[in-house]
Amino acid sequence: MGCHKIALNFEDGVTRFIECKDGEKVLDAAFRSKINLPMDCSDGVCGTCKCRAESGSYDLGDDFIDDALTADEAESGLVLTCQMKPTSDCVVAVPTTSAACKTGQQTFSATVTSISPHNDAAIMLELEVDAAPAFLPGQYANIDVPGSGQNRSYSFSTAPGGARIGFLIKKIPDGLMSTWLERAEVGTTLQLTGPLGSFYLRDVQRPLLFLAGGTGLAPFLSMLEVLAAENSEQRVHLIYGVTRDLDLVLVEEIEAYAKRLANFSFATVVAEEASSHQRKGWVTQHMPAEVLNDGDVDVYLCGPPAMVDAVRRHFDDSGVVPNSFHYEKFTPNAIAKEAA
């Protein structure tokens, strides 16, 4: 019997993955995994188990009443988990917290295999895990900083499903993680919590515009790797903005995707006035109309708060309304992230 992997995304940012057997309803699969999704009747009558399917294919059948789920709601992607039978891997947004469903964050351990500084701007941390953690491309994990009792949040820069996971970490003078990495040794075991976050790649049905600020590049590397593995032919344009020339890291890795993705293009932008880079200024100044596709585009943005706010204002001022706009704000040593 086949199984489908279902990602349950809770409104507090926690994601749990469950296995759903062929012909099995999501509600039953969740209960089998000891996750108590909202429910009352379990017969398609009350609508208490209503969630949103954000990706994947499924069968809802017709054994539910209109008061529980209207045809318009079903058309928009709303589902009743007591009736939903997946026919592929799916992502389901659950409109309540993980704690309310008697579940919570997952933790796992990983071993440091490589610590690679990139100028004075960033550090690539690579880890090896015994069992590949499940996550959605774009999500992040909290990494415990040994001996501190604290953790820091970093987006996965690698694709899901591998025994090697990577994180692109901004180098901060006297920063907690940066300081630890200066003396860290290969072979050290770290504790991680995740996956977390609602910033992740949805079903690709139209052109994509990726906007990365500094080490906000990390989640896009994960997304690009997934798109390349799927041989996606959709148009993807990445604009990678930084403050200084030295902040441009992993450009060769980005260039490599142009050879693996038929319709991928990218541009780098440096804000510093003294830079000799061919494109100076902000990402909003280097966003050609064609990549916005008259609004028929899905926009993903990851960067510092000022960048996120500037891009949002740019869209408001230009009158262009993207089909969807997903963003994640971060500050250099923030423990929590804000995504939408």
Side-chain angles (χ1 to χ4, degrees):
M1 177 177 289
C3 278
H4 305 295
K5 184 176 292 185
I6 312 300
L8 301 174
N9 285 336
F10 299 93
E11 65 178 15
D12 54 355
V14 173
T15 298
R16 291 296 308 272
F17 286 82
I18 61 173
E19 297 287 342
C20 195
K21 302 172 185 175
D22 281 339
E24 185 178 26
K25 298 172 181 177
V26 170
L27 184 68
D28 295 335
F31 283 167
R32 186 162 47 78
S33 298
K34 298 182 172 56
I35 299 174
N36 298 330
L37 292 180
M39 60 84 67
D40 190 358
C41 71
S42 75
D43 293 320
V45 174
C46 69
T48 303
C49 68
K50 191 179 298 181
C51 294
R52 179 173 295 280
E54 297 192 323
S55 71
S57 58
Y58 51 87
D59 180 14
L60 283 178
D62 54 12
D63 194 19
F64 58 90
I65 65 173
D66 195 63
D67 285 347
L69 185 72
T70 67
D72 287 345
E73 288 177 324
E75 180 67 23
S76 73
L78 291 175
V79 297
L80 300 177
T81 58
C82 74
Q83 302 298 312
M84 177 185 180
K85 297 178 181 178
T87 54
S88 74
D89 293 349
C90 293
V91 178
V92 178
V94 183
T96 189
T97 65
S98 57
C101 296
K102 301 293 191 288
T103 188
Q105 299 175 345
Q106 294 181 295
T107 60
F108 60 98
S109 59
T111 303
V112 176
T113 57
S114 175
I115 302 169
S116 305
H118 290 269
N119 304 319
D120 66 347
I123 301 167
M124 176 59 80
L125 174 65
E126 295 185 343
L127 310 174
E128 189 172 275
V129 289
D130 290 334
F135 61 92
L136 300 170
Q139 289 190 305
Y140 68 93
N142 290 333
I143 305 178
D144 290 351
V145 183
S148 72
Q150 300 182 53
N151 60 49
R152 291 293 183 262
S153 303
Y154 302 106
S155 300
F156 293 95
S157 62
T158 45
R164 182 187 67 85
I165 56 177
F167 301 91
L168 182 62
I169 297 173
K170 182 176 177 62
K171 192 171 184 179
I172 303 170
D174 300 320
L176 183 65
M177 180 63 84
S178 298
T179 301
W180 181 79
L181 286 171
E182 289 176 357
R183 63 178 188 275
E185 297 180 353
V186 169
T188 301
T189 298
L190 295 177
Q191 300 300 316
L192 296 86
T193 301
L196 296 160
S198 56
F199 183 74
Y200 53 84
L201 186 65
R202 272 68 174 179
D203 270 351
V204 179
Q205 299 178 350
R206 58 188 55 80
L208 301 172
L209 174 59
F210 291 165
L211 304 174
T215 52
L217 175 67
F220 297 114
L221 295 176
S222 179
M223 293 180 188
L224 287 170
E225 185 60 31
V226 168
L227 291 171
E230 294 175 348
N231 295 315
S232 174
E233 295 185 356
Q234 191 58 263
R235 279 196 291 134
V236 183
H237 186 66
L238 166 69
I239 306 177
Y240 174 25
V242 298
T243 303
R244 313 168 304 156
D245 291 335
L246 287 175
D247 296 330
L248 282 174
V249 302
L250 304 181
V251 175
E252 290 183 359
E253 283 79 353
I254 301 171
E255 290 174 340
Y257 285 109
K259 299 177 182 177
R260 300 174 59 195
L261 282 166
N263 294 304
F264 172 67
S265 58
F266 77 98
T268 52
V269 181
V270 178
E272 192 172 63
E273 187 62 33
S275 169
S276 59
H277 195 70
Q278 60 179 327
R279 285 174 296 275
K280 291 197 294 187
W282 312 105
V283 296
T284 52
Q285 297 171 297
H286 299 275
M287 199 182 298
E290 57 264 28
V291 303
L292 295 175
N293 203 36
D294 293 326
D296 188 26
V297 61
D298 291 328
V299 178
Y300 292 81
L301 163 62
C302 185
M307 177 185 177
V308 173
D309 294 341
V311 171
R312 295 175 69 182
R313 286 194 301 271
H314 177 78
F315 285 142
D316 290 341
D317 294 343
S318 68
V320 174
V321 180
N323 175 76
S324 69
F325 181 30
H326 310 280
Y327 66 85
E328 184 164 68
K329 294 180 180 181
F330 68 84
T331 52
N333 51 3
I335 294 176
K337 297 189 177 186
E338 176 191 337

